[in-house]
Amino acid sequence: MMHPTTFIELSIVFSVIIVIAIIALLFPKKVKKMVWILSAVILIAGVSFYTARPFIVEHQTEKAVEQLEKHLEETYPGDAWGITDTDEHRMTKVVFLHVIFVSEPDIVYEYTFENKTIEQVGMWMLSGEPVEESGVKPKHSE
């Protein structure tokens, strides 16, 4: 299913193309051809971008997961964990990843990956409550 933001962005692109096409009808034949070409270029660029974006985000996330794996192997040798991403198909400078350690299956640790820097930015219980309120002392707090 398409993310609502993506739907809105695509709607704006297609609206701009439609407006340009309608405006093209008001111009003389020579200018009309240029406006149609502009409209086609915008359409091709928009479709190309929104087609490529999930692959770019996937590559960005894979790179972040690899770096986080290395970090966790160095920081917690002998421990095991699972890493998931946020499933957002947005291109951003910061990638958010969630880690659940096998030794602490009830706590989710959130890490960020930005400019090749990994940082633990938060943690919470799987139930959604803050770790501080649960009375559990996290073993992997950085």
Side-chain angles (χ1 to χ4, degrees):
M1 191 164 119
M2 190 181 306
H3 195 274
T5 306
T6 303
F7 180 75
I8 292 168
E9 292 168 349
L10 278 172
S11 298
I12 292 170
V13 168
F14 285 118
S15 297
V16 167
I17 292 169
I18 290 169
V19 168
I20 290 173
I22 291 171
I23 291 173
L25 298 174
L26 304 173
F27 288 110
K29 193 172 187 177
K30 290 180 182 179
V31 178
K32 188 183 294 188
K33 186 174 182 179
M34 293 292 284
V35 174
W36 282 108
I37 290 171
L38 174 66
S39 162
V41 167
I42 293 172
L43 176 65
I44 291 168
V47 169
S48 298
F49 174 75
Y50 286 103
T51 301
R53 182 164 68 174
F55 298 108
I56 294 168
V57 171
E58 187 67 31
H59 174 72
Q60 183 183 32
T61 303
E62 286 174 7
K63 197 167 103 176
V65 168
E66 287 175 16
Q67 293 298 318
L68 181 57
E69 284 278 349
K70 288 179 187 176
H71 170 76
L72 293 175
E73 286 171 2
E74 291 171 3
T75 309
Y76 305 108
D79 211 341
W81 52 79
I83 300 174
T84 60
D85 64 10
T86 58
D87 293 331
E88 287 187 23
H89 291 287
R90 303 184 78 195
M91 289 188 289
T92 60
K93 290 183 177 183
V94 181
V95 177
F96 291 92
L97 299 171
H98 300 139
V99 177
I100 298 177
F101 290 90
V102 171
S103 59
E104 290 182 296
D106 295 332
I107 300 177
V108 179
Y109 293 87
E110 185 171 48
Y111 287 83
T112 59
F113 177 77
E114 180 180 18
N115 298 328
K116 299 183 180 181
T117 303
I118 296 169
E119 183 180 354
Q120 187 181 84
V121 293
M123 66 186 96
W124 61 87
M125 302 299 292
L126 272 179
S127 63
E129 70 179 309
V131 172
E132 299 81 26
E133 293 178 9
S134 69
V136 175
K137 185 171 179 356
K139 300 175 189 173
H140 299 92
S141 181
E142 294 179 17

